[in-house]
Amino acid sequence: METALVKDAAVIPLDGLPAQTVAPLSTSAQVVAPYGGVVTRVLVDEGASVRQGQALARIQSKDVLTLQADLARARTEAAVAAAQARRDAALLAEGIIPATRNEQTQARAAAAQSTLQEANGALARLRPVSGGQAGEYELLAPLSGRVMRRHLSLGQAVAPLDIAFIVAQPGPLDVSVAVPLRWRSDLHPGLEVRLPDGTTARVTAVGGDTDLSSQSLRVRARVDADQAGADRYAAGQQISVALLLPASQGTLSVPTSALLPAGSGHVLYVAEPTSQDKQGDLRVRAVPVQLLGQDESEASSAVRAVSPDTAPLAAGMQVVVRGTALLKSMIPLQ
């Protein structure tokens, strides 16, 4: 029989949580197609470095053709209305026309100018392709960085506001973690998340709704950029992480090998000397415990005694870590 020491637990490790690396919200952007059409050119691929304002793809759109025609018509109408307004203002000054006619002409000129501004605004964020096909425009990078994902392919038909690219600035990725719903009240920004290689992240946001399929909450964590290897993960990578929750008073850490399943819970065996006079003589008793979390990397578990008054468990006690199966057959639970 071999024993190990019970220790006070500072954290409750929730190990083996499914997670995915994602681009940080503050340093990434989605590029959408403002108008529907057909993709005529894809100018960059995933992984490419781009600068702000660089063309990413070209799309030919009937909507852009219509808007360009509307803009041309609005320019003509605004020019005619402005010229008429200048003439009527001069005629009014000479007393040739009444003031009401001049007021109507000025109102028509103002309305035409407003229509022109609206038509200009609809095309202001587009860059037409020089020498390209009619209605062809370019999608531009909103920031300098790296293309994390490309959603377009040559000849693809896109609808208005379809996502075309995701661009992110260089640096560590965020981690999106699925946490069981029962831990909802314990989740808050600042908690530590440990990645498979030992890299750590800090929780920055806790989701407000539940994922229907997994009945879990989405927690976003930010990797510290100063850590070695902080940028070794790729966006969209599926990993398993550990979330470290603060332990309440009475939470203890024991070797995982000390635990045995017992009904809906677990049991461990405390080894105590029978008396101070008889060194080496041990008395073993069973203690039902609630398993709170496990740390696979350190082979330890956070537990709490189910009935601390009748089966006390405290730091400094010795628990059996080898020979527990035999003890379970010999010492029934009370």
Side-chain angles (χ1 to χ4, degrees):
M1 186 173 66
E2 184 179 339
T3 63
L5 195 65
V6 177
K7 302 177 183 179
D8 286 318
V11 296
I12 299 174
L14 304 184
D15 216 341
L17 298 179
Q20 182 179 13
T21 54
V22 294
L25 295 175
S26 59
T27 59
S28 62
Q30 287 185 342
V31 182
V32 300
Y35 300 105
V38 177
V39 179
T40 56
R41 290 285 300 276
V42 177
L43 303 174
V44 297
D45 204 351
E46 292 174 334
S49 295
V50 296
R51 64 184 183 279
Q52 185 175 10
Q54 179 178 338
L56 306 179
R58 294 177 181 175
I59 297 175
Q60 186 179 25
S61 171
K62 290 183 178 179
D63 294 336
V64 172
L65 276 174
T66 301
L67 290 172
Q68 290 173 336
D70 291 343
L71 177 59
R73 182 168 55 253
R75 283 174 177 165
T76 300
E77 293 175 354
V80 171
Q84 184 64 48
R86 289 192 297 270
R87 286 195 297 271
D88 282 4
L91 293 175
L92 176 65
E94 296 175 5
I96 299 177
I97 63 171
T100 54
R101 173 178 163 177
N102 180 64
E103 291 173 358
Q104 293 172 353
T105 303
Q106 299 300 327
R108 284 194 294 269
Q113 187 62 33
S114 177
T115 301
L116 175 60
Q117 291 177 352
E118 183 179 346
N120 268 319
L123 293 170
R125 290 176 293 177
L126 294 184
R127 188 165 75 186
V129 178
S130 178
Q133 305 177 53
E136 191 177 22
Y137 69 93
E138 292 179 331
L139 292 179
L140 308 179
L143 49 83
S144 297
R146 185 181 181 190
V147 178
M148 307 301 292
R149 188 166 300 173
R150 172 179 59 84
H151 294 275
L152 298 184
S153 58
L154 188 63
Q156 176 184 342
V158 296
L161 302 183
D162 273 358
I163 298 174
F165 297 90
I166 296 178
V167 180
Q169 294 175 347
L173 299 169
D174 281 0
V175 182
S176 179
V177 187
V179 181
L181 194 58
R182 66 190 182 95
W183 296 104
R184 179 180 181 181
S185 60
D186 298 284
L187 301 176
H188 58 81
L191 293 176
E192 182 177 330
V193 176
R194 189 170 57 228
L195 279 61
D197 63 348
T199 303
T200 59
R202 293 285 174 182
V203 173
T204 57
V206 178
D209 61 346
T210 304
D211 182 79
L212 295 178
S213 59
S214 63
Q215 286 298 289
S216 62
L217 290 175
R218 282 289 169 186
V219 172
R220 180 179 284 262
R222 173 67 49 82
V223 177
D224 184 0
D226 296 333
Q227 297 179 85
D231 57 352
R232 69 181 53 180
Y233 294 97
Q237 186 173 345
Q238 301 286 340
I239 58 177
S240 179
V241 303
L243 174 64
L244 306 183
L245 300 178
S248 59
Q249 186 176 5
T251 303
L252 301 168
S253 177
V254 300
T256 301
S257 57
L259 294 174
L260 282 177
S264 59
H266 290 79
V267 64
L268 51 75
Y269 294 91
V270 176
E272 301 169 317
T274 56
S275 68
Q276 295 181 351
D277 299 332
K278 296 182 179 180
Q279 298 296 328
D281 292 344
L282 297 176
R283 177 176 66 89
V284 179
R285 59 184 176 88
V287 178
V289 295
Q290 177 188 5
L291 176 60
L292 303 176
Q294 291 184 315
D295 188 336
E296 295 179 2
S297 63
E298 298 184 3
S300 63
S301 299
V303 300
R304 184 182 293 119
V306 174
S307 303
D309 295 333
T310 58
L313 181 67
M317 292 182 175
Q318 295 286 335
V319 291
V320 179
V321 294
R322 181 176 298 176
T324 52
L326 179 60
L327 289 174
K328 185 176 181 181
S329 66
M330 297 173 59
I331 305 175
L333 288 174
Q334 300 298 322

